[in-house]
Amino acid sequence: MMVEVFKTNVQKEKDTNFIIAIIKRQFPMYKINFDLEDCDKILRVEASELEPASIIEYLNHLGYSCAVLD
């Protein structure tokens, strides 16, 4: 399994549910969760094969910033 952690600017719980639904529509095997309590508003994605660029593109298209956390 691969795990990728992203820094986002997502602020609201209702937005996380929407974003997760959108990503899961394209990548149903991904395990996705947010940690809005973290200062970086973390998005964690776990899967056997991961496409970080696609995740970033989806969030950017929805109007959010997203970058792989180093």
Side-chain angles (χ1 to χ4, degrees):
M1 279 295 187
M2 294 175 59
V3 176
E4 194 68 71
V5 180
F6 300 90
K7 175 180 180 174
T8 75
N9 67 342
V10 177
Q11 299 292 321
K12 298 177 184 165
E13 192 70 35
K14 69 175 184 157
D15 294 338
T16 66
N17 296 332
F18 174 70
I19 292 165
I20 290 170
I22 293 290
I23 295 171
K24 279 194 152 295
R25 205 175 301 150
Q26 182 67 28
F27 303 101
M29 301 304 286
Y30 283 12
K31 287 179 63 178
I32 306 165
N33 64 55
F34 276 90
D35 181 359
L36 297 184
E37 299 296 317
D38 187 277
C39 65
D40 289 323
K41 309 300 182 196
I42 296 294
L43 165 63
R44 278 187 203 86
V45 182
E46 182 179 332
S48 55
E49 291 186 28
L50 210 54
E51 295 181 33
S54 295
I55 301 293
I56 293 168
E57 185 179 321
Y58 271 94
L59 265 78
N60 290 167
H61 184 73
L62 294 171
Y64 298 99
S65 66
C66 181
V68 173
L69 193 62
D70 295 325

